[in-house]
Structure formats: C-alpha cells, structure tokens
Amino acid sequence: MDTEKVIVRDNDYVLHTYKRNPIVIERGHGMHAYGPEGQDYLDFTSGIGVNSLGYCDLDWADAVARQAHKLQHTSNLYYTAPCSKLAKRLCRRTGMNKVFFGNSGAEANEGAIKAARKYSFDRYGAGRDQIITLKNSFHGRTLATLTATGQDGFHQFFGPFNDGFLYAAAGDLGALTKLVDEHTCAIMLELIQGEGGVVPLDPAFVLGVRSLCDDRDLVLIVDEVQTGVGRTGTFLACEQYNLRPDIVTLAKGLGGGLPIGAVLLNDRVAGCMGPGTHGSTFGGNPVVCAGANVVLDRLSDSFLAGVRQHGEQLREGLEKLPHVTAVDGMGLMLGVQFEEGITAQAVLDACRERGLLVLTAKTRMRLLPPLIVTAHDIERALTILDEVLCSMAPAQR
Ligand SMILES: *Cc1c(COP(=O)(O)O)cnc(C)c1O
C-alpha cells in the first residue's frame, strides 16, 4: 500500500489525537526506517526512546518470535520464567527489591502513586496522601498522571482532576520544603524533564530532595520512563546523581519496542503492596519480557560506555552547529535550543525532507537515537543538521 493511501485511510478512521508527520514507515533495520516507496530515514528518535536496540535487532526479534511460538500469554494467576528473570535482573541492576510490571509509562507511574499512598496509609492512616511533583514535568496521560504532570496546559477539558497533587518549581528546594506538611506522602520527579524540553535537574537540588524525604518519611518516586534503561549512559540516570530512590518507574526503552512498564520498589514500600492491591491483565507478558531480557543482555558496562562516548560526540557536534544556543541532557538524550526565529518544528520538517528523523520537546529539538548509534551515524546526522541550519536565517532583530 502506498504512502498516500495509508495516510488518507488513517486520517479517515484513526482518532486525530496526534499531529503525525506526513510519512509512512513500513519497515526498519538498525538505525534506518524505510517508507513504502523506498524512502530511507536515519532515525534519531527511536520511536520516542523506545527502540533502544534500533529497528528489528536480530537477537531481540528471535527471542520475541521464539517466545510467541512457545507461550504468548497466560494470566498473572500463574508463574512464567521470562517475567521472573526480568524482575530479578532489574533488581540486581538497580539495587531495588521488587518489581511490578504493567504496559506503559503512565501505568507504571499510577502504580508508583498507589504504592506511595499505601505506604503512607499503612504507617500513618488516612489523609496523608498528597504528592508533590515539579513544574514542567510530564508523567503521563491517564487522569492521575495528567494531574501529576506539572504543566497547566495538561489540566484542561478533562476535569475533575484528582485531588492530592501539588507543584513545586524545579531547583527550588526552599519552595518545595514549604509545600510539605502533615498531608504529604511523596515527591515525584524526572531527573531530566524530557517532554518539558530536556531539562536536567540540579544535582544539589536532587540530593536535597532525598534528605527532605528521609527527614519527613516521604516516598521519593523517580520517573525514569524516558531516562532509564541506558538512555543517559548509565542503566538508571539515578546513578549519575548518586541517588537512591524509594520507587523508580521504567517503560519506554525497556521492551526494545514492545509495550512494558515497570515499577521498581525498595523493601520498605514493597512490603505494603500485598495480594489484591494492584494488577494488570497484560503486565509481565512473556513475549514482552523475553524482548526486554535481550535489551538487558545488551546493556553491558562496555555498551553503556559507548552510549556515553557517542553522547559526547553528538553533544560536541551539536554545539558547533550554526544557530545553536544551548545543548542540554545526558548521554543519548539531548535537547537543542536554537536562536530566536528558528523553530524546532521547522528544523524537524527540513531534516525529515533530507532523510533524518528528529523530535521536538517544547521549543527545543530533542534527539533520542537508538543506543546502538555509531560514530558514523552521528556524523551523518550532524551533516544533515548543518545543511538544514545553514539554509535557515534567524529573524531580523
Ligand atoms: C513518555 C513518558 C511517560 C508516559 O509514558 P506512556 O508509555 O506514554 O504512558 C511518563 N513519564 C515520562 C517521563 C515520559 O517520558
């Protein structure tokens, strides 16, 4: 089926909640996505940080196919090996003690919110249920995670929203401390605000939040849905902040392209979530877990050193490009600010025309290439970006 037919049919029948790019992706291999008429795109998006091993990695596809032929699903009433294997490896890798599996980032964050409230309820009784999140954060599209998201634009149309969320400015420990009272049970944050424009938090602030949580017995939830699973050059971004959270959520890159979300909990919080407190029909699905286990196989220390090295190469190249005023982020999660008059959307469109796929986040261009990106891929992307930016003149002042 050709591009035009696919687009027309999609526009006719799929709910228009996305502003899609006018291209169809039919298949992919490694760093490249291909269209129906042979279009070839170098993909620096990973499907928004999902395809951590690129398109259709052979080991990953094999493991998924083999598991699909063996057992595609049972229910959470029974045990399966891929799920327990993945949980054990996630705990070993992160120092956390227990894992709950769901199917998405928002669902993982819902689980984290529930676990934090249950912990507080068990210790302190009802009424200590408020969660402080940060302004400019993003935690998902379900009603509770929309409410947790600290951006007014997300708090429209769909009310009533949940009670029990307060917002503090990122970086302002004093203001955050003032919001804590006898009703507070948790603080939830992203270490790099991804959808918010790739904005890293200040390490001193983050460690201040950790001690505040220790002092007041608050649950610290770190949303690593975007930053986790090697994206920033360490398995968790927490490692680079020397941070030990009480709960970490993962999703995007964990499944290597299949839907999965995970809530990682320490013993203190995990102990409060007994049988019947939470569940998911699809959570821990053996096919998805088999794929995720291959992602974990691949993320050795030397592989992660490569992520950091390629991240540096990309950052240095981006900083040298015309019209670039700032590059933020860590590892292979980078946000690029352009001079006034050059919009990230215009750069994205022009890159796509030249065969490079990039993302935006707020006013910035965002790059989340697959973790398998090579020095050569980065050079190619920088060349295309250079051509695009050279052809753009910022607005006259
Ligand atoms: C993408 C994202 C989510 C939501 O994940 P979904 O899988 O779309 O539900 C939550 N938190 C962060 C930090 C994200 O980047």
Side-chain angles (χ1 to χ4, degrees):
M1 196 161 215
D2 65 34
T3 291
E4 203 195 319
K5 278 193 184 147
V6 173
I7 291 179
V8 168
R9 186 177 59 182
D10 190 287
N11 287 340
D12 282 349
Y13 293 105
V14 177
L15 193 68
H16 289 205
T17 62
Y18 304 103
K19 201 168 140 281
R20 294 199 207 278
N21 285 268
I23 64 170
V24 173
I25 295 178
E26 190 174 74
R27 65 198 170 83
H29 182 70
M31 290 292 300
H32 290 264
Y34 301 101
E37 292 82 22
Q39 298 93 330
D40 180 347
Y41 302 100
L42 181 61
D43 190 335
F44 268 54
T45 76
S46 311
I48 319 192
V50 168
N51 297 333
S52 25
L53 306 182
Y55 287 105
C56 306
D57 176 84
L58 286 183
D59 294 334
W60 177 88
D62 262 358
V64 165
R66 264 187 282 116
Q67 185 60 45
H69 282 283
K70 196 167 163 190
L71 178 79
Q72 87 278 30
H73 173 81
T74 171
S75 70
N76 277 308
L77 302 175
Y78 310 112
Y79 292 90
T80 60
C83 170
S84 58
K85 180 177 177 188
L86 180 61
K88 177 177 175 182
R89 298 172 85 190
L90 285 172
C91 289
R92 290 270 166 97
R93 205 67 194 253
T94 61
M96 304 301 282
N97 300 102
K98 290 281 191 298
V99 184
F100 174 86
F101 290 115
N103 312 284
S104 69
E107 231 187 291
N109 287 336
E110 289 271 343
I113 291 165
K114 284 180 68 177
R117 287 190 172 155
K118 181 69 165 46
Y119 170 82
S120 188
F121 186 94
D122 287 359
R123 288 209 161 183
Y124 303 96
R128 189 179 180 276
D129 49 27
Q130 296 202 339
I131 297 173
I132 302 173
T133 68
L134 299 184
K135 291 180 182 161
N136 196 46
S137 59
F138 180 80
H139 296 297
R141 298 282 192 162
T142 62
L143 280 167
T145 59
L146 264 185
T147 315
T149 294
Q151 303 186 46
D152 292 340
F154 288 92
H155 301 161
Q156 298 182 63
F157 319 126
F158 309 112
F161 290 93
N162 297 62
D163 284 336
F165 289 91
L166 297 172
Y167 314 99
D172 189 343
L173 191 60
L176 190 147
T177 307
K178 274 199 197 121
L179 289 180
V180 176
D181 64 15
E182 70 274 22
H183 302 296
T184 314
C185 72
I187 297 175
M188 178 164 167
L189 50 81
E190 300 155 272
L191 293 171
I192 304 175
Q193 299 186 320
E195 302 302 311
V198 194
V199 184
L201 297 188
D202 171 36
F205 170 73
V206 172
L207 293 182
V209 173
R210 177 68 270 181
S211 19
L212 177 63
C213 289
D214 289 338
D215 290 347
R216 312 289 281 264
D217 196 17
L218 308 175
V219 176
L220 178 56
I221 304 170
V222 178
D223 177 347
E224 292 231 30
V225 166
Q226 192 161 153
T227 54
V229 199
R231 175 53 57 191
T232 67
T234 46
F235 188 76
L236 296 180
C238 281
E239 296 165 44
Q240 296 183 61
Y241 281 84
N242 273 317
L243 178 66
R244 294 203 53 105
D246 301 298
I247 300 180
V248 185
T249 55
L250 300 175
K252 291 191 166 88
L254 178 57
L258 289 174
I260 186 169
V263 190
L264 280 53
L265 314 97
N266 66 12
D267 264 337
R268 199 162 68 102
V269 183
C272 302
M273 296 295 282
T277 53
H278 199 35
S280 159
T281 297
F282 290 111
N285 173 279
V287 175
V288 179
C289 289
N293 275 313
V294 175
V295 173
L296 261 62
D297 287 340
R298 200 64 65 79
L299 297 193
S300 63
D301 288 345
S302 62
F303 182 93
L304 290 174
V307 170
R308 292 193 293 275
Q309 190 194 326
H310 291 129
E312 273 317 300
Q313 181 197 351
L314 182 55
R315 174 194 287 271
E316 280 167 21
L318 290 167
E319 280 168 350
K320 289 190 195 123
L321 292 176
H323 308 310
V324 167
T325 57
V327 181
D328 273 317
M330 281 158 44
L332 290 171
M333 176 174 182
L334 295 173
V336 181
Q337 184 73 46
F338 301 113
E339 278 167 27
E340 225 178 289
I342 292 183
T343 66
Q345 184 61 46
V347 174
L348 180 152
D349 289 333
C351 283
R352 189 187 58 239
E353 294 295 317
R354 290 172 195 251
L356 174 68
L357 302 182
V358 301
L359 297 161
T360 61
K362 289 266 180 88
T363 61
R364 292 178 158 190
M365 177 176 77
R366 174 173 43 155
L367 300 178
L368 297 172
L371 306 182
I372 58 158
V373 69
T374 64
H376 177 261
D377 299 320
I378 291 171
E379 275 165 33
R380 179 81 197 115
L382 288 169
T383 302
I384 295 173
L385 277 163
D386 188 55
E387 284 167 18
V388 163
L389 288 165
C390 282
S391 73
M392 289 182 164
Q396 305 291 317
R397 278 165 227 218

